[in-house]
């Protein structure tokens, strides 16, 4: 009998030890393969105020060269507008921003511990590299991009596989696939949407109303908006009467016409769904213009940059090559603006998918677009440049009064409300001390996480495609966070499932426990004032009451503005 | 050739107007408009002069209800399913107006209900059509339009402790605030026999109060060094916490609860989840809630249509009829408008599985109550449709666009339907692009 008791005691001790090791630090987070400590030299550690524009160091490589040019443009703007910049944000704040942008969740306590063991100058590079190799990056950014290409619709039941499409984007992102190739596959390829998931870009438009065939009008509107950040939807019905939508070549802007839209739609007219999936037919596109007397045959023609067209292949392939041509700058600008928004919470140009064809452009846009094209449409490089740039590094707080102007000009990092998916992801991650990724979390955890995220998002209210709209919280959202099931489940006492209980059980010191809770939920340590409130309370509590104190603290942190906003 | 040619995204009024449709009809040689329909359709062509309604209840028939088995029956015809097995109709309280034989209680209330039997749309996909009918604009990838309920809430003011816009038994397509902001999204709640979600604190009150107090410590730390008017100008955190707490302790919450209603009353509404929601809607508008949406699901009758519809009508009939009856008894009918609608209708032919497929080319909606002249019928569908794909309109007399129903409702509420709202990206957008159906207004 004593042997069984001894075995039980050993098992308990082992389990306890494992729990404690999660909290009391251990670096078992591997070094990312792409980690290059000197990628940007020490440029990302020097505040702009410390490095005047006229004393920029000589670039040692093309990473630094682009970053220096990028920062110089912003610094010139700040100087020109007399905007004082906020100090550099702390490494943990930067890590939180990057995690939210690239994985839709927050760093785990385990990751924070590993990050803090690195030399200060290497942390950002290490963290960016780690996230870009994480499957969560593919899945989360894949979903964000899928919204741009196919919206949030369920789409036609048989001819559309949204989850396969998202998975495909995720795979491409992780495999470092050039973005122009991805776009070409979506716009121009043929075959079955199940074997070639990129084709769901086409098949999502095959509604019953369109006789279950691709809708060339929707495809034209979607293509220019998603890949070129041009909103010319209005042209489907009439010419641009307001004079706000200029097309035409560089140096020769002209008012846009209904023809511009429908000539684009004509590229998609031959696409048909058949037994072998999407194939090219000989169909032409006919349309009756607003003041036309009868339907007419519409030729396939692009609204600018005709010289970038090349013959050969199907109409869609021609359009795909034109869209992604190195000389078609709007293609690069569109994804720069999109990635900037994903990483920083707000785009450089608003609305995100309406960038004027003939400018003007804000600081950063042209430099990043040129670098993107020059380096093979490399999305990961683009993300690294954005996350190393001065605007991304700015704090969202200062000892001077921050105004809307500071945020607008990126002299202060702008606050942005978290997406519902980020809220759910952050809440679920905060309740675990380990990283909930595919490598470390059990499949049951991940399934539960996926289901809970869906339920939470449904109740919290999905923003759909309109996802960079900045608004305050609503009453139902507040109720969901104060009294909802997910928050209750993730904060209430549960030794197995919840970090609040685990922290208090294995951390004898009140101060260390409060620190751990703040790190796990808000990715920071408490302020002196917060410490003063919570540490004595936990220290004074005994046994079960200690769990109550931590449970309440978790509830408070999850319900704070800070948790719901990117900052 | 694409079908996407209406001004769904451009806000241009010129393409899908009633006049255009009437002209098209004229060209197509409509010949089956009955004298009764003509008489009813021409009645009361005037500005609304009755009492403006305060609340709107939308009975949302998800899946696309068959017009033939609800409000536009054509008994003894081929499209009804033949003279032997086909769906039948009954007389209503309004002479000459017949509806499905499976809606006898609604038929008794017909004097308060008007029908539009000639709604035409170009959306035959559930999601897109739901968007169109709920929001009055076709889906536009650059913008999310607000639902009728959201617009009415946006254009009016109330002093309520509970949400002004409520969706009962919602699915993922519940009424949304769209570009007006998610503060105009409908508050979602399920069967009123169960609790209202998220309004009860999970811990005893003293502990909850302590949590709120502690929250202010963390809020203070976050606000330091940020925008001056962080809460009012950006996050709205404090105000939403206060409003949420007010709601949690509000007596008005009882309006969601039907468990204390007399059993006989619940039975009168049918005592189904839909019936209970209709009873809850009655209570909600009684305390001043502006807009309530109630979903009755499963109208997607691709197979065994008649049986599907019969069962659903068994649920719909007592709930819809009792709602009107009790609103009248409580003197709320004049201040409450009811809209019965789904995303589209069903094909006027029975398929191989005994079902009907999606049909946006002539289907029905019903409106009742405040601001609406009851007992009127607008438009007709042909009992012997030609089903010519190139000329759908020849099978519909006096066709009306979805947005015309929106314009009618907004007009009845005294809201300027043409008023332009600036969307978040500064694009002016009219509240409705339709034209009111004057014949429906009091």
């Amino acid at each position: 009998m004593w042997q069984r008791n001894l075995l039980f005691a050993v098992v308990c001790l082992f389990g306890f030890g494992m729990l404690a090791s999660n909290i009391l630090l251990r670096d078992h987070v591997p070094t990312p393969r792409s980690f290059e400590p000197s990628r940007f030299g020490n440029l990302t550690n020097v505040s702009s105020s410390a490095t005047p524009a006229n004393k920029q160091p000589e670039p040692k490589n093309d990473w630094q060269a682009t970053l220096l040019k990028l920062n110089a443009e912003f610094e010139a703007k700040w100087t020109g507008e007399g905007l004082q910049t906020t100090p550099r944000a702390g490494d943990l704040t930067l890590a939180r921003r990057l995690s939210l942008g690239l994985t839709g969740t927050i760093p785990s306590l385990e990751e924070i511990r590993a990050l803090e063991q690195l030399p200060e100058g290497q942390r950002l590079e290490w963290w960016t590299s780690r996230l870009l190799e994480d499957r969560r990056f593919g899945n989360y950014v894949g979903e964000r991009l899928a919204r741009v290409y196919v919206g949030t619709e369920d789409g036609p039941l048989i001819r559309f596989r949204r989850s396969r499409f998202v998975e495909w984007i995720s795979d491409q992102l992780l495999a470092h696939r050039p973005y122009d190739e991805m776009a070409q596959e979506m716009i121009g390829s043929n075959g079955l949407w199940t074997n070639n998931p990129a084709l769901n870009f086409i098949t999502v438009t095959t509604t019953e109303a369109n006789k279950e065939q691709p809708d060339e009008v929707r495809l034209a509107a979607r293509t220019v908006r998603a890949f070129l950040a041009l909103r010319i939807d209005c042209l489907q019905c009439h010419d641009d009467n307001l004079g706000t939508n200029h097309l035409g070549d560089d140096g020769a802007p002209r008012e846009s016409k209904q023809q511009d839209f429908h000539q684009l739609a004509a590229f998609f007219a031959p696409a048909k769904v058949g037994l072998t999936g999407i194939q090219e037919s000989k169909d032409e596109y006919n349309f009756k213009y607003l003041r036309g007397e009868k339907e007419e045959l519409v030729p396939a023609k692009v609204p600018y940059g005709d010289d970038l067209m090349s013959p050969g292949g199907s109409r869609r392939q021609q359009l795909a090559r034109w869209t992604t041509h190195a000389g078609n700058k709007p293609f690069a600008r569109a994804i720069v603006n999109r990635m900037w928004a994903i990483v920083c919470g707000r785009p450089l140009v608003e609305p995100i998918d309406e960038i004027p064809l003939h400018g003007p452009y804000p600081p950063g846009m042209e430099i990043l677009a040129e670098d993107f094209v020059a380096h093979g449409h490399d999305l990961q490089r683009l993300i690294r440049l954005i996350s190393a740039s001065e605007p991304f590094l700015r704090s969202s707080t200062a000892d001077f009064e921050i105004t809307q102007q500071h945020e607008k000009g990126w002299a202060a990092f702008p606050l942005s409300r978290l997406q519902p998916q980020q809220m759910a992801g952050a809440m679920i991650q905060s309740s675990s001390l380990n990283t909930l990724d595919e490598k470390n979390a059990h499949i049951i955890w991940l399934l539960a996480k996926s289901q809970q995220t869906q339920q939470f998002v449904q109740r919290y209210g999905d923003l759909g495609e309109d996802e960079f709209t900045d608004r305050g919280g609503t009453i139902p959202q507040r109720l969901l966070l104060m009294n909802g099931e997910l928050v209750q489940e993730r904060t209430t006492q549960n030794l197995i499932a919840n970090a609040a209980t685990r922290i208090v059980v294995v951390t004898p010191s009140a101060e260390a426990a409060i620190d751990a809770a703040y790190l796990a939920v808000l990715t920071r340590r408490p302020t002196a004032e917060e410490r003063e409130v919570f540490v004595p309370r936990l220290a004074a509590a005994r046994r079960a009451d200690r769990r109550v104190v931590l449970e309440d603290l978790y509830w408070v942190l999850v319900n704070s503005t800070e948790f719901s906003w990117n900052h | 050739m694409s079908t996407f040619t209406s001004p769904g995204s451009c806000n241009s009024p010129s393409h899908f107007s009633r006049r255009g449709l009437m002209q098209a009809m004229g060209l197509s040689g409509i010949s089956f408009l009955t004298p009764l329909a003509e008489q009813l359709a021409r009645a009361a062509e005037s500005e609304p002069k009755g009492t403006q309604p305060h609340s709107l209840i939308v009975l949302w028939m998800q899946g696309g209800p068959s017009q033939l088995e609800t409000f536009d029956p054509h008994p003894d015809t081929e499209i009804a399913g033949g003279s032997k097995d086909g769906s039948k109709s009954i007389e209503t309280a309004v002479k000459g107006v017949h509806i499905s034989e499976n809606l006898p209680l609604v038929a008794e209330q017909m004097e308060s209900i008007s029908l539009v039997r000639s709604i035409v749309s170009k959306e035959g996909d559930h999601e897109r059509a739901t968007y169109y009918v709920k929001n009055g604009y076709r889906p536009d990838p650059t913008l999310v339009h607000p639902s009728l309920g959201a617009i009415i809430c946006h254009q009016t003011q109330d002093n309520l402790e509970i949400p002004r816009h409520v969706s009962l038994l919602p699915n993922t397509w519940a009424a949304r605030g769209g570009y007006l902001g998610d503060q105009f999204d409908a508050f979602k709640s399920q069967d009123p026999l169960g609790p209202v979600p998220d309004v009860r604190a999970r811990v005893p009150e003293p502990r909850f109060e302590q949590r709120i107090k502690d929250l202010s410590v963390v809020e203070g730390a976050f606000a330091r060094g940020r925008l001056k008017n962080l809460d009012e100008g950006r996050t709205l955190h404090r105000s939403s916490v206060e409003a949420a707490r007010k709601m949690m302790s509000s007596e008005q919450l009882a309006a969601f609860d039907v468990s204390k209603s007399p059993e006989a009353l619940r039975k009168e509404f049918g005592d189904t989840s839909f019936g209970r929601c209709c009873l809850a809607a009655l209570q909600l508008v009684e305390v001043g809630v502006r807009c309530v949406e109630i979903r009755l699901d499963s109208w997607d009758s691709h197979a065994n249509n008649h049986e599907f519809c019969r069962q659903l009508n068994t649920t719909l009939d007592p709930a819809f009829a009792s709602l009107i009856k009790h609103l009248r008894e409580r003197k709320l009918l004049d201040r409450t408008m009811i809209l019965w609608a789904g995303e589209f209708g069903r094909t006027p032919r029975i398929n191989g599985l005994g079902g009907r497929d999606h049909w946006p080319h002539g289907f029905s909606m019903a409106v009742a109550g405040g601001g609406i002249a009851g007992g009127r019928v607008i438009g007709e569908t042909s009992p012997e449709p030609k089903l010519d794909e190139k000329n759908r309109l020849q099978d519909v007399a006096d066709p009306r666009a979805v947005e015309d129903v929106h314009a009618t409702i907004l007009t009845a509420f005294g809201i300027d339907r043409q008023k332009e709202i600036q969307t978040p990206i500064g694009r002016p957008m009219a509240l409705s692009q339709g034209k009111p159906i004057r014949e429906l207004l009091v």
Side-chain angles (χ1 to χ4, degrees):
Chain A
M1 189 63 179
W2 66 270
Q3 287 166 316
R4 281 169 64 188
N5 287 343
L6 182 66
L7 181 64
F8 180 71
V10 168
V11 169
C12 286
L13 273 173
F14 179 72
F16 223 66
M18 292 293 286
L19 278 176
S21 71
N22 282 324
I23 300 164
L24 303 177
L25 14 153
R26 190 160 56 94
D27 180 12
H28 53 155
V29 178
T31 302
R33 292 185 306 278
S34 55
F35 175 50
E36 281 181 31
S38 57
R39 190 187 303 273
F40 293 105
N42 62 353
L43 290 181
T44 57
N45 289 314
V46 183
S47 75
S48 60
S49 54
T51 313
N54 57 354
K55 289 188 184 171
Q56 294 291 359
E58 278 299 309
K60 295 193 179 83
N61 57 33
D62 65 354
W63 287 96
Q64 289 186 20
T66 302
L67 187 62
L68 280 170
K69 278 197 278 179
L70 182 63
N71 288 342
E73 269 200 3
F74 278 99
E75 279 155 11
K77 177 187 171 71
W78 297 332
T79 308
E81 293 181 8
L83 286 172
Q84 190 177 353
T85 55
T86 59
R88 188 185 194 275
D91 287 333
L92 291 187
T93 303
L94 297 177
R96 182 178 188 267
R97 285 177 195 169
L98 265 183
S99 289
L100 285 166
L102 299 183
T103 66
T105 185
I106 54 176
S108 69
L109 191 58
E110 173 190 40
E111 289 173 315
I112 292 169
R113 299 294 195 207
L115 186 68
E116 287 190 323
Q117 286 179 31
L118 292 163
E120 276 190 24
Q122 296 182 7
R123 289 178 187 168
L124 188 60
E125 163 66 18
W126 185 89
W127 189 244
T128 311
S129 302
R130 172 173 165 74
L131 295 182
L132 290 176
E133 291 170 19
D134 192 326
R135 170 51 77 174
R136 292 177 300 171
F137 156 65
N139 293 347
Y140 181 69
V141 176
E143 168 61 34
R144 296 288 289 265
L145 291 179
R147 287 170 177 239
V148 184
Y149 307 135
V150 297
T152 51
E153 295 173 33
D154 292 337
L157 186 65
I158 296 169
R159 296 176 305 279
F160 181 58
R161 296 280 185 278
R162 195 175 192 284
S163 56
R164 287 280 290 123
F165 184 64
V166 176
E167 195 183 324
W168 174 78
I169 300 175
S170 174
D171 290 342
Q172 312 309 304
L173 292 173
L174 289 166
H176 229 101
R177 179 110 186 257
Y179 182 60
D180 55 338
E181 290 180 15
M182 288 171 65
Q184 284 190 20
E185 204 166 335
M186 282 187 258
I187 301 169
S189 61
N190 287 330
L192 278 170
W193 50 94
T194 43
N195 293 344
N196 181 0
L199 277 168
N200 284 284
F201 174 74
I202 306 283
T203 59
V204 70
T205 66
T206 58
T207 56
E208 197 174 312
N210 208 41
K211 296 176 189 161
E212 300 176 355
Q213 290 297 334
D215 186 331
E216 52 274 76
V217 168
R218 281 178 67 193
L219 281 165
R222 181 73 79 173
T223 299
V224 291
R225 203 161 40 78
F227 295 112
L228 303 174
L230 294 175
R231 281 190 180 186
I232 59 171
D233 307 56
C234 277
L235 300 180
Q236 63 185 275
C237 302
H238 51 71
D239 295 346
D240 177 28
N241 303 323
L242 301 173
T244 54
N245 217 333
H246 286 92
L247 294 171
D249 291 320
D250 279 349
R254 61 168 175 79
E255 285 181 358
S256 46
K257 302 280 179 198
Q258 227 187 332
Q259 280 84 346
D260 288 312
F261 185 93
H262 292 283
Q263 286 169 357
L264 265 172
F267 282 98
F268 290 99
K272 290 286 171 282
V273 176
L275 285 176
T276 52
I278 297 291
Q279 297 300 336
E280 289 292 289
S281 68
K282 294 196 184 308
D283 282 13
E284 295 286 351
Y285 183 67
N286 297 289
F287 187 75
K288 179 174 171 295
Y289 289 112
L290 182 58
R291 305 200 194 288
E293 289 186 357
K294 57 179 183 177
E295 269 193 7
E296 57 185 88
L297 180 69
V298 180
K301 205 160 176 281
V302 290
Y304 65 88
D306 200 32
D307 55 321
L308 306 179
M309 285 294 286
S310 55
S314 69
R315 277 193 183 181
R316 274 184 300 124
Q317 283 167 341
Q318 289 175 27
L319 180 67
R321 286 200 303 273
W322 172 80
T323 303
T324 59
H325 193 286
N328 197 349
K329 291 283 281 293
F331 178 66
R333 288 184 198 123
I335 193 66
V336 164
N337 205 34
R338 177 74 52 185
M339 277 303 168
W340 186 281
I342 287 175
V343 175
C344 301
R346 277 191 182 179
L348 282 169
V349 178
E350 290 185 89
I352 191 164
D353 49 9
E354 192 168 11
I355 303 175
L357 185 62
H358 302 288
Y361 305 107
M365 173 63 84
E366 293 301 82
I367 289 172
L368 285 171
E370 280 160 19
D371 184 90
F372 183 66
V373 174
H375 290 85
H377 298 91
D378 182 346
L379 288 170
Q380 293 204 11
R381 178 182 168 95
L382 175 61
I383 290 169
R384 284 182 187 278
L385 281 165
I386 295 170
S387 64
S389 70
E390 278 294 321
F392 180 77
L393 301 180
R394 294 304 94 217
S395 172
S396 59
T397 62
D399 55 7
F400 57 85
E401 189 184 317
I402 293 181
T403 63
Q404 306 271 10
Q405 206 56 30
H406 287 95
E407 288 197 345
K408 211 175 158 201
W410 297 94
F413 188 80
L415 296 183
S416 60
R417 204 177 78 171
L418 298 193
Q419 309 295 317
Q421 293 85 350
Q422 290 173 318
M423 285 293 293
M427 202 175 308
I428 292 167
Q429 178 58 72
S430 71
S431 70
S432 171
L433 303 175
N434 303 97
T435 311
L436 293 179
D437 59 10
E438 286 188 347
K439 284 181 193 155
N440 301 316
H442 192 278
I443 184 70
I444 294 173
W445 256 104
L446 294 171
L447 285 175
K449 181 179 170 227
S450 161
Q451 201 185 2
Q452 285 178 328
T453 302
Q454 277 178 18
Q455 285 169 356
F456 180 88
V457 167
Q458 201 180 334
R459 285 206 57 73
Y460 196 79
D462 196 341
L463 298 173
E465 288 175 68
D466 191 24
E467 55 179 347
F468 292 104
T469 305
D470 196 13
R471 292 183 181 126
T474 66
I475 299 166
Q477 287 168 353
R478 195 43 50 201
L479 286 167
L480 183 64
L481 287 169
M482 294 200 308
N483 308 320
E485 201 174 325
L486 183 61
V487 176
Q488 166 74 359
E489 229 178 68
R490 296 298 171 170
T491 57
T492 201
Q493 296 177 40
N494 184 330
L495 185 60
I496 306 296
N498 286 341
T501 315
R502 294 170 73 183
I503 288 171
V504 83
V505 166
V506 299
T507 314
S509 148
E511 194 158 356
I514 299 293
D515 271 12
Y518 265 83
L519 284 169
V521 184
L522 298 183
T523 325
R524 70 167 170 91
R525 292 185 169 75
T527 61
E529 189 191 351
E530 289 168 323
R531 228 181 267 272
E532 251 174 56
V533 174
F534 297 113
V535 173
R537 195 182 297 170
L538 182 62
R542 290 288 167 266
R543 297 185 180 177
D545 286 348
R546 297 184 80 232
R547 295 185 184 194
V548 172
V549 172
L550 249 282
E551 184 185 330
D552 286 348
L553 176 60
Y554 249 74
W555 184 95
V556 166
L557 298 180
V558 162
N559 271 283
S560 64
T561 309
E562 188 172 349
F563 184 77
S564 305
W565 287 72
N566 196 357
H567 53 86
Chain B
M1 192 45 234
S2 166
T3 56
F4 193 65
T5 52
S6 92
S9 58
C10 71
N11 193 25
S12 168
S14 54
H15 310 281
F16 208 44
S17 66
R18 184 181 167 221
R19 178 179 294 174
L21 294 170
M22 293 293 276
Q23 282 169 348
M25 268 175 23
L27 291 173
S28 64
I30 288 287
S31 59
F32 57 86
L33 189 65
T34 63
L36 173 73
E38 201 164 4
Q39 189 188 336
L40 291 167
R42 293 190 191 289
E45 286 259 9
S46 59
E47 288 295 325
K49 46 187 179 289
T51 319
Q52 271 179 12
H54 175 274
S55 301
L56 173 71
I57 297 175
V58 177
L59 304 180
W60 181 253
M61 305 295 111
Q62 188 71 62
S66 168
Q67 67 282 4
L68 289 150
E69 279 70 41
T70 52
F71 291 109
D72 188 17
H74 286 291
D76 304 323
T77 62
E78 196 184 329
I79 64 171
S83 53
K84 190 180 166 203
D85 301 321
S87 51
K88 304 280 188 286
S89 68
I90 51 169
E91 287 233 23
T92 67
V94 177
K95 197 177 172 195
V97 178
H98 290 67
I99 62 172
S100 164
E101 62 173 344
N102 295 318
L103 294 171
L105 299 173
V106 172
E108 288 174 19
Q109 302 296 332
M110 207 61 210
E111 283 183 349
S112 299
I113 304 172
S114 283
L115 303 174
V116 186
R117 284 174 166 165
S118 51
I119 303 287
V120 290
S121 150
K122 289 195 172 180
E123 295 295 353
D125 167 79
H126 289 292
E127 190 169 359
R128 292 177 61 83
T130 298
Y131 182 100
Y132 183 27
V133 177
K134 285 195 175 186
N135 305 333
Y137 282 84
R138 294 175 71 185
D140 174 352
T142 63
L143 192 68
V144 179
H145 298 90
S147 68
L148 256 179
I151 292 173
I152 292 170
C153 287
H154 182 261
Q155 293 294 305
T156 53
Q157 290 205 326
D158 298 295
N159 190 18
L160 272 184
E161 292 171 345
I162 58 175
R164 306 164 63 210
H165 189 194
V166 173
S167 181
L168 300 173
L169 305 174
N171 63 357
T172 50
W173 305 327
R176 291 182 66 176
Y179 64 72
L180 296 177
D182 43 11
Q183 65 270 39
F184 292 99
D185 283 356
F187 177 81
K188 298 168 196 161
S189 193
Q190 296 298 329
D191 190 329
L193 274 189
V196 180
D198 309 329
V199 294
R200 296 278 169 254
R202 302 273 182 163
V203 294
E205 201 179 333
R207 197 171 154 198
F208 184 77
E209 290 305 319
Q210 183 60 50
R211 285 178 170 189
I212 295 290
K213 210 171 144 192
D214 290 342
L215 188 56
S216 64
V217 177
V218 184
E219 289 303 304
F222 183 67
R224 212 160 295 136
R226 296 186 192 276
L227 293 169
K228 212 171 185 179
N229 58 345
L230 179 68
D231 198 274
E232 304 78 25
R234 183 69 67 82
T235 67
L236 305 176
H237 189 268
R238 197 183 314 132
S239 54
S240 63
V241 168
E242 278 165 17
R245 290 180 65 199
K246 206 170 189 179
M247 180 174 164
M248 287 166 66
S249 58
S250 172
E251 289 180 2
Q252 292 169 348
L253 273 178
F256 281 95
D257 183 8
V258 300
S259 64
K260 294 182 183 69
S261 300
E263 200 181 334
L265 184 61
R266 278 185 4 213
K267 278 193 175 158
E268 203 182 324
F269 277 79
D271 213 8
T272 55
S273 56
F274 180 75
R276 288 189 287 274
C277 286
C278 286
L279 177 53
L282 173 69
Q283 297 177 169
L284 287 166
V285 298
E286 201 165 17
V287 299
V289 168
R290 277 281 174 180
C291 299
V292 185
E293 171 189 82
I294 310 166
R295 186 175 64 108
L296 178 58
D297 202 3
S298 304
W299 288 95
D300 198 17
S301 54
H302 288 286
N304 204 10
N305 172 76
H306 285 14
E307 181 56 22
F308 249 99
C309 292
R310 193 191 60 73
Q311 285 180 13
L312 285 162
N313 279 331
T314 308
T315 300
L316 172 67
D317 190 42
F320 190 0
S322 302
L323 181 59
I324 293 174
K325 182 183 154 201
H326 286 276
L327 281 169
R328 189 185 299 115
E329 281 179 11
R330 297 185 192 193
K331 303 201 183 321
L332 292 168
L333 190 57
D334 279 349
R335 44 182 273 131
T336 309
M337 185 189 285
I338 304 168
L339 168 67
W340 177 96
E343 63 264 45
F344 38 62
R346 314 296 306 184
T347 42
R349 69 164 84 85
I350 307 277
N351 65 25
L353 299 170
R356 296 187 189 274
D357 303 317
H358 302 180
W359 188 253
H361 313 293
F363 60 104
S364 299
M365 289 188 194
V367 277
I372 292 296
R376 294 183 179 166
V377 177
I378 311 298
E380 253 184 275
T381 54
S382 170
E384 293 174 349
K386 295 186 173 59
L387 303 178
D388 179 0
E389 282 186 19
K390 289 185 180 159
N391 189 4
R392 295 286 192 202
L393 289 178
Q394 68 178 320
D395 296 330
V396 185
D398 196 7
R400 305 290 179 145
V402 168
E403 49 267 39
D404 291 346
V405 176
H406 280 244
T408 308
I409 293 172
L410 293 179
T411 303
F413 272 81
I415 294 169
D416 176 7
R417 68 186 194 282
Q418 292 172 314
K419 183 175 176 180
E420 287 189 340
I421 300 284
Q422 292 283 328
T423 67
I425 61 161
R427 180 171 158 196
M429 184 63 63
L431 292 176
S432 170
Q433 57 181 347
K435 291 184 176 172
I437 305 172
R438 297 281 171 197
E439 304 93 305
L440 289 178
L441 297 169
V442 175

